[in-house]
Amino acid sequence: MHYVLTINQRDSREVGDLTADLLRALRHLPTVVPFQRSVGDEVQGVVDAAPTAVDAALRAIRHRRWHVGIGVGGLTPPVPERIIDAEGYGLVYARRAVNRARKTGERIPLAVEGPDGEIAAEAEAVLRLLGQIVYTRTDAEWAVLDLMTPGARGQQKYVAQELGITTQAVSRAVVRSHWLEEWATRPAAARLLDLTSGPASLPAASLAY
């Protein structure tokens, strides 16, 4: 199963083309087709793991400049290196999703499309909640969070030393930013994205009930 992300800029006429900045933010993620400029101020990429799709979407939302569309669906083989050469339902779903994301107004500009529309809507709802958490963080909170590793213990003292602040300040930033809640919820968002592909993606044992 593939997850196609189509991400286009919200306000390029006001702030200029920020595509290069987004590509830098996404460059270390594992991909099937690397994130690249597709046309104008739009970035597209393909991943084969739902958690990676969640990560990519939230990285884009963090920068507050992007509409994010996630399409759950396959690509026509052979999968090319360039996104402009790719074909398949995943691209169609991603285009539909980003077009809807552009119409969200003041809400988090993210949408999900796939074969199971009901579950896609559930995945979208959870991702928008996560997006709201990420979108509203301050620069000071990000300075702390960018040094944190999910699941690691005893790291707040290290972060405090790196930033020259107290461990209490680090702790307050973690609590205010809902960082633990975000990472606890990411697997649920990924699971819903995975299920958006429809019953065919479920194990045979699951289909027997």
Side-chain angles (χ1 to χ4, degrees), residues 2-13:
H2 294 125
Y3 305 88
V4 181
L5 287 100
T6 298
I7 309 170
N8 54 44
Q9 195 172 333
R10 304 174 69 179
D11 51 5
S12 55
R13 292 183 179 179

Side-chain angles (χ1 to χ4, degrees), residues 9-37:
Q9 195 172 333
R10 304 174 69 179
D11 51 5
S12 55
R13 292 183 179 179
E14 299 175 17
V15 299
D17 187 337
L18 300 176
T19 301
D21 294 337
L22 179 62
L23 289 174
R24 279 192 292 272
L26 301 173
R27 68 185 183 276
H28 294 307
L29 296 180
T31 59
V32 176
V33 180
F35 286 99
Q36 53 202 267
R37 185 192 298 268

Side-chain angles (χ1 to χ4, degrees), residues 28-90:
H28 294 307
L29 296 180
T31 59
V32 176
V33 180
F35 286 99
Q36 53 202 267
R37 185 192 298 268
S38 52
V39 61
D41 56 1
E42 181 175 272
V43 167
Q44 286 186 295
V46 184
V47 302
D48 61 3
T52 306
V54 171
D55 197 351
L58 294 180
R59 288 180 187 224
I61 291 297
R62 167 180 175 173
H63 293 280
R64 305 179 184 178
R65 301 290 187 185
W66 303 92
H67 304 105
V68 180
I70 303 176
V72 181
L75 297 183
T76 303
V79 176
E81 293 183 3
R82 299 193 309 164
I83 194 69
I84 61 173
D85 296 326
E87 297 180 347
Y89 286 112

Side-chain angles (χ1 to χ4, degrees), residues 2-202:
H2 294 125
Y3 305 88
V4 181
L5 287 100
T6 298
I7 309 170
N8 54 44
Q9 195 172 333
R10 304 174 69 179
D11 51 5
S12 55
R13 292 183 179 179
E14 299 175 17
V15 299
D17 187 337
L18 300 176
T19 301
D21 294 337
L22 179 62
L23 289 174
R24 279 192 292 272
L26 301 173
R27 68 185 183 276
H28 294 307
L29 296 180
T31 59
V32 176
V33 180
F35 286 99
Q36 53 202 267
R37 185 192 298 268
S38 52
V39 61
D41 56 1
E42 181 175 272
V43 167
Q44 286 186 295
V46 184
V47 302
D48 61 3
T52 306
V54 171
D55 197 351
L58 294 180
R59 288 180 187 224
I61 291 297
R62 167 180 175 173
H63 293 280
R64 305 179 184 178
R65 301 290 187 185
W66 303 92
H67 304 105
V68 180
I70 303 176
V72 181
L75 297 183
T76 303
V79 176
E81 293 183 3
R82 299 193 309 164
I83 194 69
I84 61 173
D85 296 326
E87 297 180 347
Y89 286 112
L91 287 161
V92 176
Y93 284 128
R95 179 60 58 195
R96 290 179 186 173
V98 79
N99 286 342
R100 282 203 301 108
R102 295 174 69 174
K103 302 174 182 177
T104 52
E106 296 302 314
R107 293 177 295 160
I108 295 299
L110 180 151
V112 178
E113 293 276 352
D116 192 319
E118 184 175 342
I119 297 181
E122 294 175 1
E124 179 179 299
V126 174
L127 281 167
R128 282 188 177 175
L129 282 174
L130 284 173
Q132 185 66 35
I133 290 174
V134 169
Y135 190 91
T136 55
R137 285 174 180 158
T138 65
D139 290 342
E141 289 168 350
W142 279 118
V144 170
L145 301 183
D146 283 339
L147 295 175
M148 301 281 288
T149 301
R153 300 181 65 85
Q155 57 185 320
Q156 293 192 10
K157 182 178 180 181
Y158 159 77
V159 172
Q161 291 173 341
E162 285 293 305
L163 296 177
I165 60 178
T166 66
T167 54
Q168 291 84 357
V170 171
S171 179
R172 286 195 295 270
V174 170
V175 171
R176 284 196 310 268
S177 65
H178 302 291
W179 187 74
L180 294 175
E181 290 79 4
E182 174 203 335
W183 284 94
T185 305
R186 279 186 179 222
R191 177 63 172 161
L192 287 168
L193 274 185
D194 186 40
L195 293 174
T196 297
S197 59
S201 67
L202 295 175

